[in-house]
Amino acid sequence: LETAARTLAPLREASEIEPEYAIDYAGQCLALGRRDDAEAVIAKLPVKGNVWRRKTIECLLAIHDGDVEEGVGAMWALAESMAKTPIVWRALTDVLCDLERWDDALLATRRWSASTNGRPGPFRRAAVLHRATGDLAAADNAYREMMACTAVEDGQMLEYVEFLISQKRFDEAAREIEFIKPETTVMVHKLEDLRTFLPSKAAAAA
């Protein structure tokens, strides 16, 4: 949370905010208990073309303030009216996960996936949801779908490797980790650390 607070500090002082960051920023503010900062985002958005972003943030504020059913209902309606806008479905999924409404969250994740043309994010979220409900076989299937996406990121692949390790599937983890091509020093160190606890490539291939 401290890292998030430092990251958000420059945006807090800005007179305007880039629209693409507005919803995520408001959500982070609420997570940090900074409701006033989250509400202030609405006024910082450019007037033109951001009505749906304002409505999304208003829903988040309502839910944070305890008007859960009203906020969730309004967010569903907004998402349905903008069925091809991934960020609204993602924000709704986040809310439903926080509320532990797992079935609704899975439904929202499916709609999120349909709006993204095969992006890995919804599959990763589905895996996390299945893990939360104890359905590890379904989680594995979702992770595999994520791994098959062309735009899968290093961090997402690493999460799957760590999932395999948690299931004591060390040989599979050792094979999957070889597909990760780290682009940062931090990721390089993470991979080196994980490889210490995994079979060698030769052993995993045997």
Side-chain angles (χ1 to χ4, degrees):
L1 290 181
E2 291 181 5
T3 301
R6 287 195 298 271
T7 302
L8 296 178
L11 295 176
R12 186 183 189 188
E13 303 302 325
S15 59
E16 290 189 357
I17 188 169
E18 286 292 330
E20 63 182 297
Y21 302 130
I23 293 172
D24 287 342
Y25 172 67
Q28 287 291 333
C29 287
L30 291 174
L32 291 166
R34 297 180 174 178
R35 188 201 181 283
D36 290 346
D37 288 344
E39 186 173 22
V41 174
I42 296 173
K44 292 181 179 183
L45 278 166
V47 174
K48 188 176 180 180
N50 290 289
V51 172
W52 63 272
R53 289 187 172 92
R54 289 189 178 85
K55 288 183 177 179
T56 301
I57 294 169
E58 287 169 356
C59 291
L60 294 176
L61 290 167
I63 293 165
H64 179 270
D65 292 344
D67 297 324
V68 176
E69 298 308 323
E70 179 182 346
V72 170
M75 214 161 177
W76 267 110
L78 179 62
E80 291 284 5
S81 72
M82 304 193 65
K84 295 183 179 180
T85 306
I87 192 171
V88 181
W89 288 111
R90 190 189 72 192
L92 176 58
T93 300
D94 289 342
V95 164
L96 294 170
C97 287
D98 289 343
L99 294 171
E100 297 186 0
R101 298 186 179 185
W102 307 123
D103 290 344
D104 288 339
L106 278 171
L107 179 58
T109 304
R110 182 174 180 274
R111 297 293 299 275
W112 173 20
S113 180
S115 72
T116 65
N117 295 319
R119 302 288 295 181
F123 294 115
R124 181 258 169 191
R125 181 59 61 85
V128 171
L129 284 166
H130 289 309
R131 292 178 71 175
T133 59
D135 192 343
L136 299 181
D140 187 49
N141 288 337
Y143 274 129
R144 290 182 182 278
E145 289 294 329
M146 178 195 78
M147 293 291 284
C149 295
T150 56
V152 64
E153 299 173 359
D154 288 347
Q156 293 167 332
M157 290 190 282
L158 183 63
E159 183 175 318
Y160 181 46
V161 169
E162 291 178 329
F163 169 74
L164 293 172
I165 292 172
S166 73
Q167 302 303 304
K168 300 180 182 179
R169 294 160 60 182
F170 301 117
D171 287 348
E172 291 175 74
R175 289 193 294 271
E176 292 292 343
I177 204 172
E178 296 305 317
F179 291 104
I180 303 176
K181 308 301 180 186
E183 296 183 356
T184 67
T185 302
V186 172
M187 183 61 71
V188 169
H189 290 324
K190 284 184 178 180
L191 294 183
E192 289 175 349
D193 181 64
L194 281 178
R195 285 193 177 98
T196 304
F197 302 97
L198 292 174
S200 65
K201 286 193 286 186

